[in-house]
Amino acid sequence: MGPTDHGRDVRLTPARRLARRLRRWAELLGLDARRCLNCGAPFSPSADDGTAEGLLCARCLAALPPMKGPRCRRCAFPFPANAPTTPALCGDCLREPPPWQGMACYGRYEGALRDMLLELKFHGRFRLADALAPLLLDSLLCLPRPDALVPMPLPLPRLRRRGYNQAQELALAVGRLLGVPVRPELLYRPSCDAPQSSLRARERRRNLHGSFAASPAAAGLRLWLLDDIFTTGSTARAAARALLAAGAQRIDLVTLARTPLHAFGRRNQHDA
């Protein structure tokens, strides 16, 4: 009799036979399939890793629509689609220009995008940063390439409690895609201010007074200031001013999501 006995390879060790059986069961149960980083469902990616299509299933991708239509280039305020002419800046940015030059934003802070950002922010699902970062690429075409990315820092006591900064995870993912260095050491936030999400627009301005400090190493650099969510703009204003005071040549703002305009009221959009 040869090396096989009734189709069974007798040369396999018991451990290898067990491994083969486990692989067959995994194939039958779909456990070896690519799984969506958001919902965990098995799917066949339509693109390679490093793209949203390679990391998220079609259902989750469809639930993450980008903002469409003309918008203010400084704060991403959407203009009416049927406007006869599209201005470059909204009224608020004309009256009180923010300290950054341009802004890139992917979508509205609602639905699946909001859920994914909350999972990243409060539950430490860092791989979601890899899935969300590619969504920004088309939006970033409106900005000149920077010398470095600067993630929005957390206050040091909060960073110690949480153990990570979701904005830095997003910045690292974007930096890998674009080949741009991430420089978190250029900006820090030593003050123990109250969480911005619990405050009204005017309270946010007072809460952030003097709360950022920037390194002299920012001098002469063109920087993208990256945050996960844009709400009233008060945090971004304070951070951008600190970088400019340190000598940064240009600041552009990059954010994945923008809160719905009715959340704080359009009139208080730039209360910072």
Side-chain angles (χ1 to χ4, degrees):
M1 184 176 293
T4 61
D5 183 11
H6 300 294
R8 181 169 60 87
D9 192 341
V10 297
R11 294 173 300 183
L12 292 178
T13 64
R16 293 185 66 185
R17 285 198 293 271
L18 176 60
R20 176 176 286 184
R21 292 193 186 102
L22 290 175
R23 283 197 300 271
R24 288 172 180 167
W25 275 107
E27 291 172 1
L28 290 172
L29 295 173
L31 298 179
D32 64 337
R34 178 77 62 84
R35 291 192 171 270
C36 174
L37 287 184
N38 183 41
C39 69
F43 76 108
S44 298
S46 59
D48 297 330
D49 282 349
T51 65
E53 292 80 3
L55 299 171
L56 298 173
C57 67
R59 182 176 180 181
C60 287
L61 276 174
L64 297 168
M67 290 177 66
K68 295 182 179 179
R71 67 189 83 164
C72 174
R73 67 177 178 86
R74 299 287 284 271
C75 74
F77 176 75
F79 296 121
N82 58 354
T85 59
T86 303
L89 300 179
C90 68
D92 280 2
C93 288
L94 285 171
R95 286 188 294 270
E96 187 183 355
W100 59 86
Q101 296 299 307
M103 177 175 172
C105 177
Y106 174 74
R108 298 179 185 274
Y109 184 60
E110 56 192 13
L113 184 57
R114 176 182 181 274
D115 294 342
M116 290 178 69
L117 285 172
L118 289 176
E119 285 292 314
L120 171 63
K121 185 172 185 175
F122 294 113
H123 300 288
R125 292 184 59 189
F126 301 139
R127 287 300 309 279
L128 288 179
D130 294 327
L132 291 168
L135 298 177
L136 270 169
L137 294 186
D138 285 344
S139 304
L140 294 173
L141 295 175
C142 68
L143 302 178
R145 187 176 177 87
D147 297 310
L149 296 173
V150 179
M152 186 70 72
L154 290 174
L156 293 179
R158 201 179 312 161
L159 180 60
R160 293 189 188 102
R161 288 195 302 270
R162 188 178 297 175
Y164 61 90
N165 177 3
Q166 75 283 351
Q168 183 164 328
E169 298 301 322
L170 284 168
L172 290 170
V174 173
R176 285 192 293 269
L177 289 173
L178 299 179
V180 175
V182 179
R183 303 282 305 274
E185 77 279 4
L186 295 181
L187 184 69
Y188 64 100
R189 198 169 171 182
S191 67
C192 187
D193 50 359
Q196 289 290 89
S197 58
S198 65
L199 304 176
R200 295 181 180 274
R202 293 185 185 279
E203 293 169 334
R204 288 172 179 243
R205 177 178 57 190
R206 291 192 294 269
N207 187 52
L208 285 163
H209 179 68
S211 63
F212 289 91
S215 166
L221 297 180
R222 297 166 299 175
L223 302 171
W224 283 357
L225 178 62
L226 190 146
D227 204 359
D228 53 341
I229 305 163
F230 181 90
T231 305
T232 66
S234 54
T235 303
R237 279 177 173 263
R241 285 172 178 150
L243 288 167
L244 290 170
Q249 178 183 336
R250 175 185 171 120
I251 305 295
D252 291 299
L253 183 62
V254 174
T255 179
L256 258 169
R258 193 191 203 287
T259 54
L261 301 179
H262 57 74
F264 286 87
R266 175 59 181 162
R267 196 170 61 168
N268 289 330
Q269 183 68 36
H270 291 150
D271 261 359

